[in-house]
Amino acid sequence: MFESSLLAQLHAQFPAHQFSPEGLSVVHTGRFANAIVYRYKDAKFDLIIKDFQHSPWWMRKTIAPLFINQEYKGLARLQDVDGVVDNFCRLSSIAIAYDFIEGTPLRQLALQQQHLPSEFFKEFERLVAKMHRRGVVHLDLRNLGNVICSTDGKPYIIDFQSAIRFARFPRWLQRFMRGADMSGVYKAWHKLAKDSLPQAKADYLHDFNHVRKRWIFKGYPIQRAYLWCSGAVTQILNSDFIRSILDRLYKARLHALSGEN
């Protein structure tokens, strides 16, 4: 039933094309709070689809549209940025589709104990910096499953469900959120590079991991915490102690960048 509805939604988006049930397959079966991830592939289209139709009614009416809207807005703000898909569409309030990226997630490469050249991670670092210049933080790049090494060896970032614009937050918290993204780059670099992580970047990763131990939402996307209890988050974190640590982290980041020159 869900698959038939998805095919109908795809046809509504692309009425000139005939979508076949044989082209649709399940990539990942989500729990009630997560989307089911499909892949649709035929001679013309190769798409990833996230869909919350299977979720309870209260999820479909409340949280799911927020997640889909968040991902859609994140992709829209990063359109034309190399390393982020350009073609995407909202199929419904609880479903989104975008181009499939042919490649291998970094998590899989790490499990296979494979390595990548340092240039891959330098490009990944530049990609994250471009994203930040657009005013967007991803907030889940420490999850190596959200970064793909494409078949031509380029980094791609996926899964923008937790992505938010950071301008609304205090400056010290903006630094932390950008740092969370950059620490994901250096974490991957440390695990997967053929050469060792440059010392300045290793120091930055070490400092950030130390700060992260004190972060009460460790392992829980800030975006969801913001949606549900942003006031509480700001009050809990608005302390001179945390700000001083984050200032040190910011200075370490500047040191890491200056070490490249």
Side-chain angles (χ1 to χ4, degrees):
M1 181 177 69
F2 298 150
E3 288 78 5
S4 298
S5 177
L6 277 183
L7 292 171
Q9 291 168 11
L10 284 168
H11 181 71
Q13 284 288 330
F14 308 99
H17 189 72
Q18 183 66 42
F19 290 90
S20 168
E22 289 74 23
L24 193 64
S25 60
V26 175
V27 175
H28 178 72
T29 303
R31 294 171 292 180
F32 79 97
N34 298 103
I36 293 180
V37 181
Y38 296 89
R39 182 180 180 183
Y40 182 86
K41 181 176 173 57
D42 62 19
K44 182 175 181 180
F45 288 97
D46 194 355
L47 302 170
I48 285 290
I49 302 167
K50 289 184 177 181
D51 179 56
F52 283 94
Q53 287 186 82
H54 68 291
S55 299
W57 68 269
W58 60 266
M59 180 76 181
R60 298 195 307 271
K61 297 296 184 181
T62 57
I63 306 300
L66 292 175
F67 287 171
I68 294 299
N69 189 53
Q70 204 71 9
E71 182 142 26
Y72 182 87
K73 289 192 297 185
L75 291 171
R77 288 169 182 141
L78 297 172
Q79 205 157 21
D80 301 324
V81 172
D82 290 340
V84 179
V85 294
D86 273 335
N87 301 313
F88 55 92
C89 64
R90 199 182 335 225
L91 297 179
S92 71
S93 64
I94 56 173
I96 188 171
Y98 49 81
D99 283 346
F100 176 79
I101 300 166
E102 195 72 50
T104 308
L106 298 195
R107 177 194 290 166
Q108 185 177 332
L109 294 177
L111 290 173
Q112 295 171 350
Q113 297 185 328
Q114 297 190 39
H115 299 285
L116 294 169
S118 295
E119 187 54 42
F120 174 90
F121 300 100
K122 292 177 183 177
E123 189 163 349
F124 184 16
E125 186 179 37
R126 290 192 291 268
L127 169 57
V128 171
K130 288 178 184 177
M131 179 176 68
H132 290 169
R133 286 197 292 272
R134 294 281 181 103
V136 176
V137 284
H138 185 282
L139 299 181
D140 201 16
L141 290 181
R142 293 179 65 92
N143 176 358
L144 301 185
N146 288 334
V147 185
I148 292 176
C149 178
S150 67
T151 51
D152 60 353
K154 304 294 184 182
Y156 276 81
I157 297 174
I158 62 171
D159 197 352
F160 285 85
Q161 184 171 292
S162 294
I164 56 174
R165 296 182 68 182
F166 55 79
R168 72 190 76 173
F169 294 95
R171 289 184 181 275
W172 62 268
L173 188 51
Q174 293 180 30
R175 293 173 185 171
F176 181 86
M177 292 189 287
R178 292 195 302 268
D181 284 352
M182 203 57 71
S183 75
V185 176
Y186 299 155
K187 175 184 175 182
W189 198 328
H190 175 69
K191 283 180 173 288
L192 287 162
K194 294 177 181 177
D195 304 317
S196 60
L197 181 63
Q199 189 58 50
K201 301 179 192 299
D203 291 343
Y204 178 85
L205 179 61
H206 176 270
D207 290 345
F208 186 87
N209 287 340
H210 179 72
V211 174
R212 187 170 173 264
K213 289 177 183 177
R214 305 173 188 274
W215 176 245
I216 60 171
F217 288 104
K218 178 182 177 182
Y220 196 76
I222 298 174
Q223 179 263 343
R224 297 173 194 176
Y226 174 75
L227 289 173
W228 295 334
C229 53
S230 59
V233 171
T234 302
Q235 290 180 20
I236 291 169
L237 295 176
N238 191 19
S239 68
D240 291 338
F241 174 69
I242 293 296
R243 279 200 295 267
S244 67
I245 292 175
L246 295 173
D247 284 339
R248 289 171 56 193
L249 183 64
Y250 177 65
K251 291 175 183 176
R253 170 65 183 150
L254 292 177
H255 177 67
L257 290 174
S258 64
E260 298 175 2
N261 299 327

